[in-house]
């Protein structure tokens, strides 16, 4: 789904929440519990994602959010953990960090000042781009039905593939994201992320879609389906029925996304430098300016006349009555 919230955030945290709830409900059922709990405060997005998914999956289970009930902030939560012998990693005292396969989210502390570049100690998965190797790293990714299946000719399961891309990308300084983010709870926040695999796959997959999809499919997917899907995920609405409808429409197009993409990673940047697909609609013969197919002058003029007719008609109407 090329999911990048507001064009930038690959949604690692947001995507994880519904899954965490599903697993929590599983455990609650096994234990015969009548409630589940989470540690979100009343200020964040995560409380919404946890609560909404829990209500959908297990309406009979009560959801307890002690930090919310007791009105605790982060400092109080850390203090509470300390008093009860729950270890809190050092980095988590300075920043609020959430980490999983898809992304590492860093917020709070020094990152809260949007006028300052994030300090280097905020990052863990990526080398500082200026310290990345002076030679580019090439990685070739193969897709089948829209899903990445192999890198550099080696087939692997998706877990290994994402881990490998996080490694390769991180070493090249790829995947640092600095984002002013519209929170779903009514205010903006400055967020920093590390997501090398997500960024590489986003660029690669979108590139292959451009080769294969018709211009109409492409616009509908990139401008409508993808951002709409990302918004649902961000806003805690994984369970919203529309998600499945969007996925069905996208899935119809993804059937044809077979092929490979070559990405060039260099000091923090990702460039797609080559690609091919058996369903690709690019034709060198059609595109070539020096030979092959050429419309006649008359054909071209006729096409242009009809093509522009709507716009030119409207323009002439409006110029009669200048408002
Ligand atoms: N802003 C991101 C989101 O809402 C990341 C949140 C990270 N969560 C955290 N507790 N640090 O998805």
């Amino acid at each position: 789904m090329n999911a990048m919230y507001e064009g930038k955030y690959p949604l690692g945290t947001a995507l994880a929440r519904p899954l965490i709830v599903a697993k929590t409900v599983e455990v609650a059922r096994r234990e015969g519990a009548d409630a589940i709990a989470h540690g979100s405060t009343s200020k964040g997005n995560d409380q919404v994602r946890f609560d909404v998914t829990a209500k959908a999956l297990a309406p009979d289970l009560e959801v307890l959010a002690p930090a919310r009930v007791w009105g605790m902030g982060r400092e109080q939560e850390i203090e509470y953990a300390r008093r009860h012998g729950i270890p809190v990693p050092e980095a988590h005292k300075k920043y609020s960090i959430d980490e999983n396969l898809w992304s590492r989210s860093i917020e709070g502390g020094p990152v809260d000042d949007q006028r300052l570049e994030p300090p280097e100690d905020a990052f863990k998965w990526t080398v500082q781009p200026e310290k990345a190797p002076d030679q580019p790293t090439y990685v070739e990714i193969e897709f089948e039905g829209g899903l990445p299946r192999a890198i550099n000719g080696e087939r692997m399961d998706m877990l290994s593939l994402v881990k490998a891309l996080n490694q390769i990308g991180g070493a090249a300084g790829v995947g640092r994201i600095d984002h002013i983010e519209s929170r779903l709870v009514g205010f903006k926040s400055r967020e920093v992320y590390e997501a090398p695999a997500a960024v590489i796959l986003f660029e690669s997959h979108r590139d292959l879609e451009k080769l294969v999809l018709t211009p109409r499919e492409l616009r509908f997917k990139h401008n409508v389906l993808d951002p709409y899907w990302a918004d649902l995920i961000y806003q805690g609405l994984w369970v919203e029925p529309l998600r499945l409808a969007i996925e069905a429409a996208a899935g119809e197009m993804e059937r044809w996304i077979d092929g490979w993409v070559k990405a060039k990673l260099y000091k923090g940047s990702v460039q797609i430098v080559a690609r091919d697909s058996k369903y690709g609609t690019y034709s060198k013969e059609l595109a070539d300016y020096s030979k092959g197919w050429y419309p006649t002058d008359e054909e071209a003029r006729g096409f242009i006349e009809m093509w522009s007719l709507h716009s030119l008609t409207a323009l002439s109407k409006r110029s009669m009555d200048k408002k």
Side-chain angles (χ1 to χ4, degrees):
M1 293 307 306
N2 305 317
M4 283 287 183
Y5 180 62
E6 296 185 327
K8 276 242 174 164
Y9 162 41
L11 292 164
T13 297
L15 280 164
R17 295 331 190 198
L19 178 61
I20 291 170
V21 172
K23 290 291 161 192
T24 307
V25 166
E26 227 176 87
V27 175
R29 294 301 186 213
R30 197 160 64 224
E31 300 292 330
D34 52 16
I36 58 176
H38 62 73
S40 302
T41 66
S42 61
K43 241 183 149 169
N45 295 329
D46 286 335
Q47 56 169 345
V48 182
R49 298 166 182 151
F50 285 133
D51 285 24
V52 171
T53 318
K55 276 176 193 285
L57 298 185
D60 57 304
L61 285 181
E62 195 185 345
V63 181
L64 301 171
R68 204 165 57 192
V69 174
W70 296 334
M72 289 164 112
R74 274 184 53 74
E75 283 70 40
Q76 287 134 309
E77 285 193 83
I78 289 168
E79 174 54 23
Y80 181 90
R82 199 194 53 77
R83 259 189 291 127
H84 292 82
I86 302 162
V88 178
E90 212 38 52
H92 291 240
K93 291 180 185 158
K94 185 163 173 193
Y95 304 100
S96 169
I97 298 172
D98 181 63
E99 190 174 320
N100 60 40
L101 179 69
W102 200 232
S103 67
R104 183 165 179 271
S105 311
I106 308 112
E107 48 181 47
V111 161
D112 273 348
D113 192 339
Q114 90 287 3
R115 297 164 304 179
L116 301 179
E117 182 172 355
E120 198 47 37
D121 71 356
F123 300 101
K124 198 174 96 185
W125 290 7
T126 53
V127 310
Q128 213 175 359
E130 52 268 49
K131 294 199 179 131
D134 291 329
Q135 295 307 315
T137 309
Y138 287 93
V139 25
E140 197 176 295
I141 304 169
E142 273 163 66
F143 289 86
E144 284 170 19
L147 300 174
R149 292 299 191 195
I151 51 181
N152 298 328
E154 191 185 333
R155 280 187 81 82
M156 45 183 103
D157 61 82
M158 231 163 325
L159 178 62
S160 315
L161 188 141
V162 172
K163 281 184 176 167
L165 285 180
N166 272 333
Q167 211 69 51
I168 299 168
V174 165
R176 290 190 177 188
I177 296 163
D178 186 325
H179 188 214
I180 299 295
E181 185 167 302
S182 308
R183 287 261 185 108
L184 82 94
V185 288
F187 59 93
K188 300 220 182 213
S189 58
R190 197 280 191 93
E191 309 271 340
V192 174
Y193 301 101
E194 293 181 283
V199 168
I200 296 168
L201 288 171
F202 174 80
E203 294 296 337
S204 305
H205 180 254
R206 273 171 55 101
D207 184 277
L208 200 55
E209 287 181 326
K210 285 190 166 186
L211 184 64
V212 172
L213 298 179
T214 72
R216 282 134 196 135
E217 288 178 310
L218 190 67
R219 278 157 185 68
F220 191 59
K221 183 147 192 306
H222 289 191
N223 300 341
V224 181
L225 296 181
D226 292 348
Y228 224 107
W229 194 89
D231 276 357
L232 288 181
I233 303 311
Y234 187 84
Q235 293 163 358
L237 297 175
W238 174 264
V239 296
E240 157 68 48
L242 178 61
R243 178 176 60 83
L244 295 177
I246 294 175
E247 286 172 14
E252 185 59 33
M253 299 179 215
E254 290 305 299
R255 289 164 60 204
W256 312 109
I257 309 302
D258 285 359
W260 59 266
V261 168
K262 192 188 214 178
K264 181 179 182 175
L265 317 179
Y266 182 66
K267 292 192 184 287
S269 78
V270 186
Q271 278 184 75
I272 306 306
V273 293
R275 76 289 282 156
D276 203 18
S277 165
K278 65 172 178 251
Y279 301 116
T281 53
Y282 169 79
S283 153
K284 195 171 174 313
E285 287 64 48
L286 275 180
D288 198 323
Y289 275 114
S290 59
K291 56 180 187 295
W293 175 72
Y294 259 100
T296 64
D297 178 53
E298 208 180 351
E299 284 169 340
R301 283 174 189 277
F303 166 73
I304 293 163
E305 188 155 335
M306 294 175 88
W307 169 251
S308 56
L309 195 51
H310 278 304
S311 307
L312 297 183
T313 305
L315 269 182
S316 72
K317 288 286 174 187
R318 290 172 197 192
S319 64
M320 288 184 332
D321 176 18
K322 281 234 171 67
K323 266 194 214 144

